[in-house]
Amino acid sequence: MQDDAIQADHLQRFIFDNAAIRGEWVQLKQSWQTVKAQRDYPPAVADLLGEMLAAAALLAETVKMSGRLVLQCRSDGPVSLLMVECTSDHTLRGLANWNGEITNDATMQELLGEGNLAITIENVEAKQPYQGVVSVQGETIAEMLEMYFAQSEQLKTRIWLSTDEQTAGGLMLQQLPEQDPEQHDENWTRINILAETVTDEELLNLDAVSLLYRLFNEEMVRLLSTTVLEFACTCSRQRVADTIKLLGRQEAEDIIAERGVVELACEFCNTHYQFDPVDVAGLFSDPLNIQNDSNTLH
């Protein structure tokens, strides 16, 4: 039981009673290990992906949604795609695509080059998803997200992210509205100075209570809700079937003729889906006109 507690993935929300500031701490172990196990990621790519995964968990907790939050970075660099998502059911998944040899000490700018980071919030109740975009800039994922909040949300936000082979962790502070601007800025500066002392080792190894006490033991910190997170994929046989339909009947039949089956694998969880000739024929048949001898595509 103790081992389960150590391995579980948690997000802890907190506020400061003596300052208009809220915060979140997250530590991912099992979900990070599951994401990383899907592909043989070079260490530098894995570091970026782990930081993005922790960031998605932090950001998803700041918005009220019934759906999912997606962080997607596309670039012209060796890492062409970083994509992670966190759902309102507190599930996570993610992947990265890269080309060529990646050195272990490659920086974010070397890996991403020119590109954009898009933050998309898909809410079941909303007719259209919300999306904010920021260009690839800064030296870390955390810096890039801080710039997004400064430009798009006008919210003072600080983020610290770190990963190693076992854990992805993060800490976020965000300023809340306050009547006294002078005191507001003074509190923000003071608490940020304290937070700046956090180390990667502390983010990845200390539990929330221990870390917050170490950083803010002279402040009035109140713990709020704790969220348990886990890896889960939203792929399904039906979604794969829909993808095959988009290929078109002729292309699907050509694949059947060449390989005997149409097989697709989910890039997030590596689940393989196979469709044999009968399955494929069923995808393109019209159940309302099953007796008709027609070549019309429906």
Side-chain angles (χ1 to χ4, degrees), residues 123-142:
N123 213 322
V124 173
E125 290 83 12
K127 293 182 179 179
Q128 291 185 331
Y130 163 85
Q131 187 173 80
V133 180
V134 64
S135 61
V136 172
Q137 53 189 306
E139 297 181 1
T140 64
I141 296 293

Side-chain angles (χ1 to χ4, degrees), residues 112-239:
L112 298 181
E114 298 290 329
N116 292 303
L117 172 67
I119 301 174
T120 305
I121 299 171
E122 297 179 358
N123 213 322
V124 173
E125 290 83 12
K127 293 182 179 179
Q128 291 185 331
Y130 163 85
Q131 187 173 80
V133 180
V134 64
S135 61
V136 172
Q137 53 189 306
E139 297 181 1
T140 64
I141 296 293
E143 282 187 30
M144 192 158 40
L145 289 170
E146 289 171 358
M147 292 175 189
Y148 161 77
F149 276 103
Q151 295 171 12
S152 303
E153 305 294 327
Q154 281 87 50
L155 284 173
K156 288 187 178 179
T157 304
R158 291 299 313 279
I159 299 172
W160 294 264
L161 302 168
S162 187
T163 56
D164 62 15
E165 292 186 0
Q166 286 75 41
T167 310
L171 177 70
M172 183 170 76
L173 297 176
Q174 198 164 69
Q175 200 174 42
L176 298 172
E178 171 62 64
Q179 297 298 322
D180 185 344
E182 185 176 344
Q183 185 64 46
H184 203 25
D185 291 339
E186 181 182 318
N187 289 338
W188 179 250
T189 300
R190 183 185 72 256
I191 289 175
N192 268 275
I193 289 173
L194 296 174
E196 283 285 3
T197 65
V198 70
T199 65
D200 291 338
E201 184 178 356
E202 290 171 337
L203 269 180
L204 298 174
N205 296 301
L206 292 181
D207 61 78
V209 173
S210 300
L211 178 65
L212 296 177
Y213 180 79
R214 183 172 294 190
L215 294 176
F216 310 118
N217 59 80
E218 295 184 0
E219 303 292 332
M220 298 172 64
V221 180
R222 184 192 304 180
L223 299 182
L224 301 177
S225 62
T226 301
T227 300
V228 176
L229 298 137
E230 62 181 351
F231 174 87
C233 192
T234 55
C235 70
S236 67
R237 187 172 178 83
Q238 182 57 53
R239 290 191 175 190

